[in-house]
Amino acid sequence: RQSAATPPRPGVEATLAEIWRDVLKVDSVGADDNFFELGGHSLLTLRVARQVRERLGIALDPRVLFFKTLRQIAAELTHLQTR
């Protein structure tokens, strides 16, 4: 499933969407997409976490990718970034 019905917002959401596109090798990622519904699996969550740390300087617990949408995860990352 590939859906960009709701495009990611600029900033953390857009960066996270770029990371997901790169890791999942998909053309588009929407704000309401779930990592696993787009074809992700547990080993790929580690790649996402590493790229988030490298690109955003934020430690991401890979487990958050299991049940949340891109927008929900980006909101958590934004909160952590501003602490």
Side-chain angles (χ1 to χ4, degrees):
R1 173 171 105 72
Q2 292 186 32
S3 168
T6 304
R9 296 178 185 134
V12 173
E13 252 181 55
T15 301
L16 188 58
E18 288 173 20
I19 292 169
W20 285 20
R21 278 195 306 272
D22 179 50
V23 169
L24 296 171
K25 310 230 182 304
V26 295
D27 293 330
S28 63
V29 174
D32 299 317
D33 284 335
N34 172 279
F35 185 76
F36 287 87
E37 290 174 4
L38 292 176
H41 55 76
S42 57
L43 292 177
L44 290 179
T45 64
L46 301 175
R47 279 196 205 162
V48 170
R50 185 178 66 242
Q51 286 196 32
V52 166
R53 187 174 59 251
E54 289 171 0
R55 294 181 64 179
L56 296 170
I58 303 169
L60 170 69
D61 181 343
R63 293 174 293 185
V64 303
L65 295 168
F66 281 75
F67 303 108
K68 298 185 180 187
T69 65
L70 181 125
R71 179 156 286 162
Q72 291 167 328
I73 296 165
E76 288 186 22
L77 292 174
T78 300
H79 177 73
L80 290 172
Q81 196 175 42
T82 58
R83 289 172 106 189

